[in-house]
Every structure is written in structure tokens, then in C-alpha cells.
Amino acid sequence: MASVAADYLPILLFLAVALGLSMAFVVLPMLVSRLTGSNKPYPDKLTEYECGFPAFEDSRAQFDVRFYLVAILFIVFDLEAAFLFPWAVTVFGLGWTAWIAMMIFLVELALGLVYAWKKGALEWE
């Protein structure tokens, strides 16, 4: 029975530390907020900050297409980074085929960036 408890001790310690840290990251900021008075709302604190303008219409109103375009471009280039890092770690073990495939991928992404740049997708009015 003692060996079973000894086998589970590291797991229980890990859980105790994880619960302690998570509680500290949740409860401590709330306590500091209460003590410093930063939790008391006032009109300026309750204004919109996500989109930069107050919500004046229905929540189902259409947004400008530039918001979606910027989001799509971010996703495309974020995926490029997600594919590039694992490839860079293993490129020497994969050989020339992997290197050529990644160069083709990077050229395609560069052409997409140039196309978006020329079309004015990166310009903000």
C-alpha cells in the first residue's frame, strides 16, 4: 500500500502546485483589484475598446470587409510561421526534397504577399 502511495506522490504534488498557481493567478489579481479600487467602473472605463467606435446599431450589422481581410492575411502568415519552425528544426535530416518543397511554399507565400500589397490589402484608411 505504501508503494502505491509513493508512486502517486509526484502526481499529487504536481496537481497541488498546479492548483496553487492557478488559484494565485485567479484570486490574487482579484484581491489586488479590490484593494486598489481598480474594479470600480465609471463611464470612461466602460467604453468600447475592441473596435474603436461605439456600438450604435444592431449587433448583426455588417463590418467593413477590411476587418476580414486583415484577419485572413494574419491567419495565412501565421500558418506560414507554424510550418516554417518545425521544418527548420528537421531540414538537415529530411534532405533536398524537403528544402525544395519549402522554397516553393515560401515563394508562393511571397507572391501572395506581393499580390495583397499591390491590391492595397495592407493599406488602412
Side-chain angles (χ1 to χ4, degrees), residues 34-113:
R34 294 266 182 215
L35 294 175
T36 61
S38 62
N39 69 334
K40 296 182 178 82
Y42 52 91
D44 288 338
K45 189 185 273 190
L46 297 175
T47 59
E48 296 80 9
Y49 59 90
E50 290 94 355
C51 58
F53 55 87
F56 51 84
E57 291 183 14
D58 187 17
S59 63
R60 292 176 295 277
Q62 292 182 346
F63 282 96
D64 193 2
V65 73
R66 290 177 293 185
F67 289 110
Y68 301 111
L69 187 59
V70 168
I72 289 171
L73 288 173
F74 171 76
I75 289 170
V76 166
F77 292 109
D78 188 44
L79 285 176
E80 171 194 0
F83 285 129
L84 193 60
F85 288 127
W87 170 82
V89 170
T90 60
V91 67
F92 295 116
L94 296 175
W96 284 102
T97 306
W99 189 84
I100 292 170
M102 185 54 77
M103 291 305 115
I104 291 170
F105 178 69
L106 289 176
V107 166
E108 288 175 1
L109 281 171
L111 289 174
L113 176 63

Side-chain angles (χ1 to χ4, degrees), residues 9-32:
L9 185 63
I11 296 172
L12 292 175
L13 287 174
F14 179 77
L15 284 175
V17 169
L19 285 173
L21 286 175
S22 62
M23 290 301 291
F25 282 120
V26 171
V27 174
L28 191 62
M30 291 169 61
L31 289 174
V32 170

